[in-house]
Amino acid sequence: MNTITDTNFNFPGQKSIYKGKVREVYNINDEQLIMIATDRLSAFDVVMPKGIPYKGQILNQIATKMMAATQDLVPNWLTATPDPNVAVGHMCEPFKVEMVIRGYMSGHAAREYKAGKRMLCGVPMSEGMKENDAFPEPIITPATKAAKGNHDEDISREDILKRGIVSEDDYLILEDYTRKLFKRGSEIAAERGLILVDTKYEFGKTKNGQILLIDEIHTPDSSRYFYVDGYEERQSKGEPQKQLSKEFVRQWLIRNGFQGLEGQKVPFMSDDYIETVSERYIELYENITGEPFIKADVSNIQERIEANVLAFLESQG
């Protein structure tokens, strides 16, 4: 199973490399960024030991399609996709927060609610809610952006402004963009028979001060989807929702005694299990985009990516 879990390219004009949990970002001449989506799998803010075949391609291609489908609403960083795993775009200084927006009480919000909390990131949650119920209105619950190996942390709007992480003027734009993107993402999902449950957006600022959407958008790593069909019935019976997200990986890890807590070891993932995760990601791609997934040549992913990026850079003169 050929995967790409690490890169160490040296492109013309390269100034630096930033390695996130899944993506690796190359700074070219302080003007453009080359973002490579690896096959690394992160859950509970921990990178798993093995890569998932085609995962990077899937995330990159979903994000690219969703950027194109939302660029009339919110400007984004993307300018080219020279390889199935690669996105190229404007150099931005990222804001140090992730804009998480939730239409339903699921995942982390549901875990906090079960623990007795009725406030998430300074936003109240009503009494009497059941897991996977819709909030009356989508709520924004930001998180601080952690470096690889560290945990993202919930933070309130008040704390973001008080600590000067984002200026008030910029934060109002981030909130506005987040709500617009979530509305459009929900509409796209509905066309596919899906519910966009929650997601996160990341933003950056260009040298000339423009705020752009960056990173991934509406992928199964950054978002949770339910199937519309049967949602109401499952809720009324108190049954788990059928979902499209990497929550199935998180649940497998929880069943095997891992939640990213201190002293816990990542359980062994067999090749057969890795294969099933890859198949689920392909299913996610096809459901989210409504198109068949075409597997890229993975006989030598490193060589393929390098050749495609170099050809792209040369074409720019």
Side-chain angles (χ1 to χ4, degrees):
M1 293 192 291
N2 287 343
T3 59
I4 184 163
T5 55
D6 191 36
T7 72
N8 284 292
F9 298 121
N10 195 0
F11 298 124
Q14 183 173 313
K15 297 269 189 180
S16 62
I17 312 173
Y18 167 77
K19 300 202 174 196
K21 291 176 195 128
V22 173
R23 288 170 175 73
E24 309 202 334
V25 185
Y26 290 75
N27 170 353
I28 308 297
N29 289 322
D30 288 334
E31 286 182 359
Q32 59 184 354
L33 299 175
I34 293 170
M35 184 186 283
I36 298 169
T38 71
D39 294 323
R40 293 197 294 263
L41 175 65
S42 161
F44 297 114
D45 294 319
V46 176
V47 176
M48 301 294 117
K50 292 183 182 178
I52 306 299
Y54 303 106
K55 178 176 175 285
Q57 178 190 348
I58 287 164
L59 295 188
N60 190 54
Q61 291 185 332
I62 292 175
T64 299
K65 287 174 189 295
M66 293 294 181
M67 291 261 180
T70 56
Q71 63 187 2
D72 60 314
L73 284 179
V74 174
N76 65 60
W77 77 291
L78 189 68
T79 56
T81 49
D83 179 273
N85 286 62
V86 179
V88 179
H90 299 290
M91 174 92 183
C92 289
E93 179 65 37
F95 288 100
K96 299 280 195 296
V97 291
E98 293 183 343
M99 297 299 286
V100 181
I101 183 165
R102 305 173 185 278
Y104 293 73
M105 194 186 69
S106 302
H108 173 62
R111 288 191 281 272
E112 293 288 282
Y113 198 90
K114 271 185 192 158
K117 295 185 184 171
R118 294 295 177 267
M119 191 77 81
L120 188 60
C121 303
V123 181
M125 297 185 287
S126 309
E127 285 293 344
M129 289 187 75
K130 296 203 309 283
E131 185 170 359
N132 302 330
D133 276 352
F135 288 114
E137 290 287 326
I139 64 171
I140 293 177
T141 59
T144 55
K145 185 82 182 96
K148 184 178 170 184
N150 293 328
H151 290 273
D152 297 340
E153 288 182 7
D154 291 343
I155 187 168
S156 67
R157 173 188 184 164
E158 290 69 30
D159 278 349
I160 289 168
L161 300 181
K162 193 163 71 182
R163 286 161 55 180
I165 298 170
V166 182
S167 74
E168 187 164 8
D169 286 351
D170 285 350
Y171 192 78
L172 290 173
I173 294 170
L174 300 190
E175 279 197 337
D176 178 53
Y177 282 174
T178 295
R179 292 193 188 282
K180 283 177 175 167
L181 289 165
F182 190 69
K183 185 171 184 290
R184 176 66 58 83
S186 299
E187 289 162 0
I188 294 168
E191 288 167 14
R192 312 259 187 265
L194 300 172
I195 295 167
L196 179 57
V197 176
D198 52 42
T199 191
K200 70 178 175 70
Y201 303 113
E202 296 186 41
F203 299 93
K205 196 181 258 196
T206 63
K207 285 177 187 171
N208 64 10
Q210 187 185 20
I211 293 175
L212 300 180
L213 172 66
I214 61 171
D215 201 51
E216 63 185 336
I217 165 178
H218 300 158
T219 71
D221 268 23
S222 66
S223 317
R224 191 187 321 271
Y225 291 90
F226 292 156
Y227 289 90
V228 173
D229 189 32
Y231 167 79
E232 294 290 356
E233 190 183 342
R234 282 188 281 271
Q235 274 308 90
S236 65
K237 290 179 177 174
E239 294 173 357
Q241 287 299 329
K242 190 179 175 197
Q243 49 176 292
L244 276 177
S245 72
K246 67 172 181 184
E247 184 67 18
F248 71 94
V249 176
R250 291 191 199 98
Q251 292 302 328
W252 182 86
L253 290 168
I254 289 169
R255 285 198 304 274
N256 285 275
F258 183 80
Q259 290 190 64
L261 304 175
E262 210 171 314
Q264 293 184 337
K265 274 191 171 176
V266 176
F268 172 73
M269 291 183 170
S270 69
D271 286 350
D272 284 348
Y273 179 69
I274 295 286
E275 190 66 39
T276 65
V277 175
S278 181
E279 285 164 7
R280 283 291 291 275
Y281 267 92
I282 291 169
E283 180 194 340
L284 296 171
Y285 175 94
E286 294 183 339
N287 277 280
I288 291 165
T289 65
E291 297 170 11
F293 178 67
I294 297 160
K295 294 177 176 178
D297 177 8
V298 293
S299 53
N300 195 321
I301 310 173
Q302 298 267 358
E303 275 181 21
R304 187 200 78 206
I305 289 174
E306 188 169 32
N308 285 337
V309 172
L310 288 173
F312 167 77
L313 291 172
E314 275 176 35
S315 74
Q316 292 193 303

